[in-house]
Amino acid sequence: MALKIMILGANGFIGSALTNAILRERDWEVYGIDLSDNKLGELPRERRFHFVEGDITINKEWVEYHVKKCDVVVPLVAIANPAQYVTHPLRVFELDFEANLAVVRHCVKYGKRLIFPSTSELYGMSPDAVLDEETSPLVYGPINKQRWIYAASKQLLDRVIYAYGVRDSLDYTLFRPFNFIGPNLDNIEEPKEGSSRVFTQFLSNVLYRRPFKLVDGGLQKRSFTYIDDAMECLLTIIENSGGRATRRIFNIGNPDNCVSIRELAERTIRIAQEFPELREAAKSTEIIDVSAGEYYGKYYQDIQVRVPAIEAARRDLGWQPHTDLDTAIRRTIDFYVKIGSFNPLNAAVSGL
Ligand code: UGA
């Protein structure tokens, strides 16, 4: 019997990529739910994809019924944008923690395998140069820095899931994405500053001919991971042959793509110029500095560097990332060009 996979948030960045990867590369059935279907393209027509539009905080019976019915549950509904951690911290707690806790408990009740998205943010301001799943300390700032409510919510869920594993033998895997980028990351046609994560924010700034803003000089570093590489890892985790991912935590990231945000900005401008549609706008894009306080407000605190240890995934899943940063940037821009996001009309429609 083909595996039945339930994906909550199937229209999100990771959810849509995962649905696509499963339908393309495996014979599994997917049961998905999300608020809308705009990132799914033709997927809802696929015979093995059963999709409903809905809200997991409202359609609770649908959720419980499908946890019961499926073999593996992947709850991907969450607010994952730092600008919102500081403006809507309670919404982050309610959705990322409370709504997901209910799903975790259904998995315990019905004995289902749970693949849960932890986050690279969990390490916070950890002093470790390379972040290890089992040994790195998790370090956050004071309560008045509301940014940490996301990491703290996710951390507590990791701990709850771990404890269910110890007490009830819950079959779970926690995976920690490190700055995945790729098609459908965020909507670049949304002009509002802070509505995106950094890479898509930069692409949006090219579209609207605005300068790139480097928070505190852009010296902070992230390890950008191409979404297709990440999906290969997730498929292996879901497959779980020989139980090798059961009750384990895996960083999914690309340490070779660790660059500063300034470097990301420079590369994005250089690579965007390869596309005739973007050449002029990219060439004239300015890079300016802003303070974190100006950009995010007083509740924000940044993470200076974040490099994943990926030995666990290499050794036990036989996985490693292979897409370099320039290729990841190029493929993502190519996607947005092809779907017409850089059409100047989009900027006009938004009145900019
Ligand atoms: C992200 C988000 O919390 C989640 O998407 C996720 O859990 C996790 O980390 C991940 O993807 O690994 P962060 O890397 O801080 O956090 O998110 P971005 O918004 O992409 O910001 C990256 C850096 O760019 C930050 O230092 C930020 O200050 C800077 N930035 C952002 C700019 O310099 N300019 C901008 O216009 C936007």
Coordinates of all heavy atoms in Angstrom, one line a residue, residues 287-323:
I287 N 22.6 49.9 -2.8 CA 22.6 49.2 -1.5 C 22.8 50.2 -0.4 O 23.8 50.9 -0.5 CB 23.7 48.1 -1.5 CG1 23.5 47.1 -2.6 CG2 23.8 47.5 -0.1 CD1 24.6 46.0 -2.6
I288 N 21.9 50.3 0.5 CA 22.1 51.3 1.6 C 22.0 50.6 3.0 O 21.5 49.5 3.1 CB 21.0 52.4 1.6 CG1 19.6 51.8 1.7 CG2 21.1 53.2 0.3 CD1 18.5 52.8 1.9
D289 N 22.6 51.2 4.0 CA 22.6 50.7 5.3 C 21.4 51.3 6.2 O 21.2 52.5 6.0 CB 23.9 51.0 6.1 CG 25.1 50.2 5.5 OD1 24.8 49.3 4.7 OD2 26.2 50.5 5.9
V290 N 20.8 50.4 7.0 CA 19.8 50.9 7.9 C 20.1 50.2 9.3 O 20.7 49.2 9.3 CB 18.3 50.6 7.6 CG1 17.9 51.3 6.3 CG2 18.1 49.1 7.4
S291 N 19.7 50.9 10.4 CA 19.8 50.2 11.7 C 18.7 49.2 11.9 O 17.6 49.3 11.3 CB 19.8 51.2 12.8 OG 18.5 51.7 12.9
A292 N 19.0 48.2 12.7 CA 17.9 47.2 13.0 C 16.7 47.8 13.6 O 15.6 47.5 13.3 CB 18.5 46.1 13.9
G293 N 17.0 48.9 14.4 CA 15.9 49.6 15.1 C 15.0 50.3 14.0 O 13.7 50.2 14.1
E294 N 15.6 50.9 13.0 CA 14.8 51.5 12.0 C 14.0 50.5 11.2 O 12.9 50.7 10.8 CB 15.7 52.2 11.0 CG 16.2 53.6 11.4 CD 17.3 54.0 10.4 OE1 17.0 54.5 9.3 OE2 18.5 53.8 10.7
Y295 N 14.6 49.4 10.9 CA 14.0 48.4 10.0 C 12.9 47.6 10.7 O 11.8 47.4 10.2 CB 15.1 47.5 9.4 CG 14.6 46.7 8.2 CD1 14.6 47.3 6.9 CD2 14.1 45.4 8.3 CE1 14.2 46.5 5.8 CE2 13.6 44.7 7.2 CZ 13.7 45.3 6.0 OH 13.2 44.5 4.9
Y296 N 13.3 47.1 11.9 CA 12.4 46.1 12.5 C 11.7 46.7 13.8 O 10.8 46.1 14.3 CB 13.1 44.9 13.0 CG 13.5 43.9 11.8 CD1 14.8 43.8 11.4 CD2 12.6 43.1 11.2 CE1 15.2 42.9 10.4 CE2 12.9 42.3 10.2 CZ 14.3 42.2 9.8 OH 14.6 41.3 8.8
G297 N 12.3 47.8 14.3 CA 11.7 48.3 15.6 C 12.5 47.7 16.8 O 13.4 46.9 16.7
K298 N 12.1 48.2 18.0 CA 12.9 47.9 19.2 C 12.8 46.5 19.7 O 13.6 46.1 20.6 CB 12.5 48.9 20.3 CG 11.1 48.7 20.8 CD 10.9 49.6 22.0 CE 9.5 49.3 22.5 NZ 9.1 50.1 23.7
Y299 N 11.9 45.7 19.2 CA 11.7 44.3 19.7 C 12.6 43.3 19.0 O 12.5 42.1 19.3 CB 10.3 43.9 19.6 CG 9.3 44.7 20.4 CD1 8.3 45.4 19.8 CD2 9.5 44.9 21.8 CE1 7.4 46.2 20.5 CE2 8.6 45.7 22.5 CZ 7.6 46.3 21.9 OH 6.7 47.1 22.6
Y300 N 13.4 43.8 18.1 CA 14.2 42.8 17.3 C 15.6 42.7 17.8 O 16.2 43.6 18.4 CB 14.3 43.4 15.9 CG 15.0 42.6 14.8 CD1 14.5 41.5 14.3 CD2 16.3 43.0 14.4 CE1 15.1 40.7 13.3 CE2 17.0 42.2 13.5 CZ 16.4 41.1 12.9 OH 17.1 40.3 12.0
Q301 N 16.2 41.5 17.6 CA 17.6 41.2 17.9 C 18.1 40.3 16.8 O 17.3 39.3 16.5 CB 17.7 40.6 19.3 CG 19.1 40.5 19.8 CD 19.2 40.2 21.3 OE1 18.3 39.6 21.8 NE2 20.3 40.6 21.9
D302 N 19.3 40.5 16.3 CA 19.7 39.6 15.2 C 20.6 38.5 15.6 O 21.0 38.4 16.7 CB 20.5 40.5 14.2 CG 20.2 40.1 12.7 OD1 19.9 38.9 12.5 OD2 20.1 41.0 11.9
I303 N 20.8 37.6 14.6 CA 21.7 36.4 14.8 C 22.8 36.7 13.9 O 22.6 37.0 12.7 CB 20.9 35.2 14.4 CG1 19.8 34.9 15.4 CG2 21.8 34.0 14.3 CD1 18.6 34.1 14.8
Q304 N 24.0 36.7 14.4 CA 25.2 37.1 13.5 C 25.7 36.1 12.5 O 26.0 36.4 11.4 CB 26.3 37.5 14.4 CG 26.0 38.9 15.2 CD 25.5 39.9 14.3 OE1 26.0 40.2 13.2 NE2 24.4 40.6 14.7
V305 N 25.7 34.8 12.9 CA 26.1 33.8 12.0 C 25.5 32.4 12.3 O 25.2 32.1 13.5 CB 27.7 33.7 12.0 CG1 28.2 33.3 13.4 CG2 28.2 32.7 11.0
R306 N 25.2 31.7 11.2 CA 24.5 30.5 11.4 C 24.9 29.4 10.4 O 24.6 29.5 9.2 CB 23.0 30.8 11.2 CG 22.0 29.9 11.8 CD 20.7 30.5 12.1 NE 19.9 30.8 11.0 CZ 18.9 31.6 11.1 NH1 18.4 32.1 12.2 NH2 18.2 31.9 10.0
V307 N 25.7 28.5 10.9 CA 26.3 27.5 10.0 C 25.8 26.1 10.5 O 26.1 25.8 11.7 CB 27.8 27.5 9.9 CG1 28.4 26.5 8.9 CG2 28.3 28.9 9.5
P308 N 25.2 25.3 9.7 CA 24.7 24.0 10.2 C 25.8 22.9 10.1 O 26.6 22.8 9.2 CB 23.7 23.6 9.1 CG 24.1 24.2 7.9 CD 24.8 25.5 8.3
A309 N 25.9 22.1 11.1 CA 26.6 20.8 11.0 C 25.7 19.8 10.3 O 24.5 19.7 10.6 CB 26.9 20.2 12.4
I310 N 26.2 19.2 9.2 CA 25.3 18.3 8.5 C 25.8 16.9 8.5 O 25.4 16.0 7.7 CB 24.9 18.8 7.1 CG1 26.2 19.1 6.3 CG2 24.1 20.0 7.2 CD1 25.9 19.3 4.8
E311 N 26.7 16.6 9.4 CA 27.3 15.2 9.4 C 26.2 14.1 9.7 O 26.2 13.1 9.1 CB 28.4 15.1 10.5 CG 29.7 15.6 10.1 CD 29.7 17.1 9.8 OE1 29.0 17.8 10.5 OE2 30.3 17.5 8.7
A312 N 25.2 14.5 10.5 CA 24.2 13.5 10.9 C 23.4 13.1 9.6 O 23.2 11.9 9.3 CB 23.2 14.1 11.9
A313 N 23.0 14.1 8.8 CA 22.3 13.8 7.6 C 23.1 13.1 6.6 O 22.7 12.2 5.9 CB 21.7 15.1 7.0
R314 N 24.4 13.5 6.5 CA 25.3 12.9 5.6 C 25.5 11.4 6.0 O 25.3 10.5 5.1 CB 26.7 13.5 5.7 CG 27.0 14.5 4.7 CD 28.5 14.7 4.5 NE 28.6 15.9 3.7 CZ 29.1 17.0 4.2 NH1 29.6 17.1 5.4 NH2 29.1 18.1 3.4
R315 N 25.8 11.1 7.2 CA 26.1 9.8 7.6 C 24.9 8.9 7.7 O 24.9 7.8 7.2 CB 26.7 9.9 9.1 CG 27.3 8.7 9.6 CD 27.7 8.9 11.1 NE 26.6 9.4 11.9 CZ 26.7 10.5 12.6 NH1 27.8 11.2 12.7 NH2 25.6 10.9 13.4
D316 N 23.8 9.4 8.2 CA 22.7 8.5 8.5 C 21.6 8.5 7.5 O 20.7 7.6 7.4 CB 22.1 8.8 9.9 CG 23.1 8.6 11.0 OD1 24.0 7.8 10.8 OD2 23.1 9.4 12.0
L317 N 21.5 9.6 6.6 CA 20.5 9.6 5.6 C 21.2 9.5 4.2 O 20.5 9.4 3.2 CB 19.7 10.9 5.7 CG 19.0 11.2 7.0 CD1 18.4 12.6 7.0 CD2 18.0 10.2 7.3
G318 N 22.5 9.6 4.2 CA 23.2 9.6 2.9 C 22.9 10.8 2.0 O 22.9 10.7 0.8
W319 N 22.6 11.9 2.7 CA 22.2 13.1 2.0 C 23.3 14.2 2.0 O 24.0 14.3 3.1 CB 21.0 13.7 2.6 CG 20.6 15.1 2.0 CD1 19.9 15.3 0.9 CD2 20.9 16.3 2.6 NE1 19.7 16.6 0.7 CE2 20.3 17.3 1.7 CE3 21.5 16.8 3.7 CZ2 20.4 18.7 2.0 CZ3 21.7 18.1 4.0 CH2 21.1 19.1 3.1
Q320 N 23.5 14.9 1.0 CA 24.2 16.2 1.1 C 23.7 17.2 0.0 O 23.3 16.8 -1.0 CB 25.7 16.0 1.0 CG 26.2 15.4 -0.3 CD 27.7 15.3 -0.2 OE1 28.3 15.1 0.9 NE2 28.4 15.6 -1.3
P321 N 23.8 18.5 0.4 CA 23.4 19.5 -0.6 C 24.3 19.6 -1.7 O 25.5 19.4 -1.6 CB 23.3 20.8 0.2 CG 24.4 20.5 1.3 CD 24.4 19.1 1.6
H322 N 23.9 19.9 -3.0 CA 24.8 20.1 -4.0 C 24.6 21.4 -4.9 O 25.3 21.6 -5.9 CB 24.9 18.9 -4.9 CG 23.6 18.3 -5.2 ND1 22.7 18.8 -6.1 CD2 22.9 17.2 -4.7 CE1 21.6 18.1 -6.1 NE2 21.7 17.1 -5.2
T323 N 23.7 22.2 -4.5 CA 23.4 23.4 -5.3 C 24.1 24.6 -4.7 O 23.9 25.0 -3.5 CB 21.9 23.7 -5.3 OG1 21.2 22.5 -5.7 CG2 21.5 24.8 -6.3

